[in-house]
Amino acid sequence: MVAGAADMLRRRGYNATSVRELAKHTGAPLGSTYHYFPGGKAQLAAEAVRLADGLIARTLTRELAAGPIAGLRAFVATWRGIVLDSDFQAGCPVLAVAVEEHPDLDAEPRHAAAAAFTRWTDLLAAALREHGATTEDADRTAALVVAAIEGSVAVCRAQRAIDPLDRIADALEAAVRAVLPTGPA
């Protein structure tokens, strides 16, 4: 059910996703949804964001072991696959939750999204520091990577083209290389 929620969020956004539609999408009884997620849509969306966060964080952790460039390329490849495999119909469920208004009582999804972006940025910054970037350069570059990739995924969906992601990926690779000492990244 959480994976189904992540799929619906990345395709339709938070406000356009209802618990009833989600139950139908996943084939789960509506009553089970509220049984397992008594917080309703907000709780389910937050769990979906945490799922997406975990998947990306595991990929980054694994690939960053080979260096910041490998991590960047894996991050790009993940989003490239999602956008192309969905024929430009799906993006990032974390971004979808982050950009929509939520009533004050439903802040949990937004907090989960903020935590996800922070985690990804921290992983990238740590890898950059480990490979010789200054703390300031690492933090700035990691924030640039996350924001640029997330933004380019949205542009790709709007334009129904992968070129924006490819151009951003090239620019980000140059930015990462620029903050690292000479040598393999």
Side-chain angles (χ1 to χ4, degrees):
M1 184 162 281
V2 173
D7 183 54
M8 285 191 75
L9 289 170
R10 70 188 186 133
R11 292 173 186 276
R12 299 178 69 189
Y14 181 80
N15 292 328
T17 300
S18 72
V19 174
R20 183 175 302 281
E21 290 170 329
L22 178 60
K24 184 177 178 182
H25 179 70
T26 62
L30 185 59
S32 293
T33 304
Y34 287 106
H35 174 75
Y36 291 106
F37 301 97
K41 178 177 163 176
Q43 181 184 9
L44 192 49
E47 290 302 324
V49 166
R50 289 182 190 106
L51 174 69
D53 173 20
L55 294 171
I56 294 296
R58 281 191 293 283
T59 297
L60 280 173
T61 299
R62 182 181 62 246
E63 298 300 326
L64 286 168
I69 296 296
L72 171 63
R73 288 177 179 166
F75 195 44
V76 170
T78 298
W79 295 116
R80 178 179 244 288
I82 288 168
V83 170
L84 290 175
D85 292 348
S86 70
D87 194 29
F88 302 96
Q89 298 301 307
C92 178
V94 178
L95 180 63
V97 166
V99 299
E100 292 186 38
E101 283 295 317
H102 308 274
D104 289 339
L105 296 176
D106 289 347
E108 186 182 5
R110 184 175 40 79
H111 292 304
F117 290 142
T118 298
R119 183 176 182 189
W120 303 346
T121 302
D122 289 350
L123 286 167
L124 289 160
L128 288 163
R129 285 190 304 274
E130 289 169 14
H131 285 82
T134 66
T135 297
E136 183 178 331
D137 284 345
D139 293 346
R140 182 178 39 240
T141 304
L144 174 67
V145 167
V146 173
I149 295 298
E150 289 291 315
S152 68
V153 167
V155 174
C156 288
R157 289 186 69 197
Q159 294 179 349
R160 300 295 191 252
I162 202 66
D163 297 344
L165 179 61
D166 292 340
R167 286 192 300 274
I168 289 295
D170 289 343
L172 291 174
E173 192 163 321
V176 167
R177 289 185 188 284
V179 300
L180 297 175
T182 306

